[in-house]
């Protein structure tokens, strides 16, 4: 379990799904919720929707793609949808930062509700919920960063921009790649004091409830928050963003034949 036991039940999920949909969408569909920016782009220009239609033809996907009620809905035809293929195509065309599957959105709401965020308010307007999350994480927050060695703890400003977690000395500073961690390089986000840096005797009086660690492939970040509420929120934000980009940034070749270039980050994948 994470920092709290999840209190939702299957009944909650069924109820949430009904409230998230204004019309009946069958189990043979994939639903994607957009940020306000994503909705604005699609409403201004239908080229993205046409690109989605072309992409599904390239991979011979028998499905119907529609944009309605501020959602992208991919409905299967005669053949069963391949979830991974659908997700990759939608993320590449629309942009991973502006598009989230129904399943991951409901999981986010469930996790935030477990730390006393208003469930019904979040479910009422998915676009606003996702936009609020991006606004909060892009603005960032101040943490105390601990180290394994003799280096003293330092106040650092952490923020998330796209698929990277950045830290800097002050809020108004610039982001630099050498002080960042790509989401797909995160192995695990662990609540509490579980690392050498946070288990030092000097930190014995600091509660586990305000600490967490971001374990990466090459380095780890050991952070102390100002309160448990802050820890729980940012633990959730980082885990959600990590899950999203690990899935969205898997290498694909589905759109290689499209005339328009893909997002630069996607082209640079190994």
């Amino acid at each position: 379990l994470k920092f709290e036991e999840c209190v939702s039940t299957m009944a909650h999920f069924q109820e949430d799904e009904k409230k998230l949909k204004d019309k009946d969408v069958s189990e043979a569909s994939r639903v994607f919720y957009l940020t306000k920016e994503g909705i604005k782009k699609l409403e201004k220009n239908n080229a993205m929707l046409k690109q989605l239609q072309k992409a599904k033809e390239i991979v011979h996907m028998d499905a119907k793609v529609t944009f309605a009620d501020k959602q992208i809905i991919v409905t299967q035809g005669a053949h069963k949808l391949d979830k991974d293929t659908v997700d990759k195509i939608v993320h590449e065309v629309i942009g991973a930062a502006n598009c989230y599957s129904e399943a991951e959105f409901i999981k986010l709401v469930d996790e935030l509700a477990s730390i006393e965020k208003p469930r019904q308010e979040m479910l009422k307007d998915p676009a606003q919920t996702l936009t609020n999350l991006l606004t909060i994480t892009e603005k960032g927050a101040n943490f105390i960063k601990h180290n394994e060695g003799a280096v003293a703890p330092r106040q650092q400003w952490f923020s998330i921009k796209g698929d990277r977690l950045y830290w800097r000395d002050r809020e108004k500073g610039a982001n630099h790649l050498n002080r960042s961690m790509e989401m797909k390089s995160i192995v695990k986000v662990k609540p509490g004091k579980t690392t050498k840096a946070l288990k030092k005797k000097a930190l014995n009086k600091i509660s586990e409830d305000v600490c967490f660690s971001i374990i990466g492939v090459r380095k780890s970040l050991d952070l102390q928050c100002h309160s448990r509420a802050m820890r729980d929120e940012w633990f959730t934000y980082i885990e959600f963003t990590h899950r999203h980009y690990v899935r969205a940034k898997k290498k694909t070749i589905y759109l290689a034949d499209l005339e328009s270039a893909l997002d630069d980050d996607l082209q640079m994948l190994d």
Side-chain angles (χ1 to χ4, degrees), residues 163-165 180-186 242 249 269:
D163 67 341
R164 280 189 177 272
L165 174 68
S180 73
M181 182 182 287
E182 194 173 10
M183 286 294 163
K184 71 175 184 179
S185 73
I186 294 175
H242 169 239
K249 290 289 185 176
L269 283 174

Side-chain angles (χ1 to χ4, degrees), residues 137-138 159-166 175 183 241 245 265:
T137 55
E138 285 185 13
S159 61
I160 299 171
K161 181 69 174 177
D163 67 341
R164 280 189 177 272
L165 174 68
Y166 292 90
N175 289 330
M183 286 294 163
T241 309
Y245 279 102
D265 287 339

Side-chain angles (χ1 to χ4, degrees), residues 14-195:
Q14 292 171 345
E15 180 183 352
D16 292 347
E17 287 174 337
K18 289 178 183 177
K19 292 182 179 179
L20 280 165
K21 303 170 190 175
D22 291 328
K23 61 181 181 179
D24 182 32
V25 177
S26 72
E27 292 180 359
S29 299
R30 294 288 287 166
V31 179
F32 297 86
Y33 296 102
L34 307 175
T35 62
K36 286 191 169 183
E37 182 180 348
I39 292 169
K40 190 175 180 180
K41 285 181 179 179
L42 276 170
E43 288 178 340
K44 273 190 171 183
N45 187 350
N46 65 356
M48 283 185 175
L49 196 59
K50 290 180 179 178
Q51 197 175 11
L52 274 174
Q53 296 284 1
K54 188 173 181 180
K56 76 180 181 65
E57 292 168 7
I58 290 172
V59 297
H60 308 292
M61 185 171 70
D62 180 19
K64 179 182 178 182
V65 180
T66 56
F67 173 56
D69 301 324
K70 301 179 180 180
Q71 306 166 12
I72 292 174
I73 303 169
V74 182
T75 308
Q76 76 178 34
H79 303 290
K80 187 177 180 180
L81 288 175
D82 181 272
K83 182 174 68 174
D84 289 338
T85 301
V86 173
D87 289 2
K88 289 171 186 176
I89 289 175
V90 173
H91 284 144
E92 285 195 42
V93 174
I94 305 301
N98 289 316
C99 186
Y100 300 82
S101 72
E102 178 185 46
E104 63 183 335
F105 176 72
I106 290 178
K107 185 174 177 64
L108 170 67
V109 169
D110 188 64
E111 290 174 340
L112 290 175
S114 74
I115 55 175
E116 299 182 354
K117 295 294 181 181
R119 175 187 293 274
Q120 298 309 317
E121 185 178 321
M122 289 186 288
L123 291 172
K124 185 178 180 181
D125 190 346
Q128 187 63 61
T129 299
L130 291 168
T131 299
N132 289 346
L133 182 145
L134 292 181
T135 300
I136 292 169
T137 55
E138 285 185 13
K139 175 178 171 54
N142 190 50
F143 296 81
I144 298 174
K145 182 175 177 288
H146 293 273
N147 302 281
E148 277 191 35
V151 180
R154 296 176 61 188
Q155 298 273 348
Q156 294 282 278
W157 191 269
F158 280 77
S159 61
I160 299 171
K161 181 69 174 177
D163 67 341
R164 280 189 177 272
L165 174 68
Y166 292 90
W167 60 94
R168 51 192 184 272
D169 294 332
R170 55 188 182 278
E171 179 180 355
K172 301 298 182 182
N175 289 330
H176 297 284
L177 286 178
N178 65 347
R179 300 185 76 187
S180 73
M181 182 182 287
E182 194 173 10
M183 286 294 163
K184 71 175 184 179
S185 73
I186 294 175
V187 176
K188 193 174 183 69
V189 187
K190 301 178 71 175
K193 297 161 72 173
T194 62
T195 61

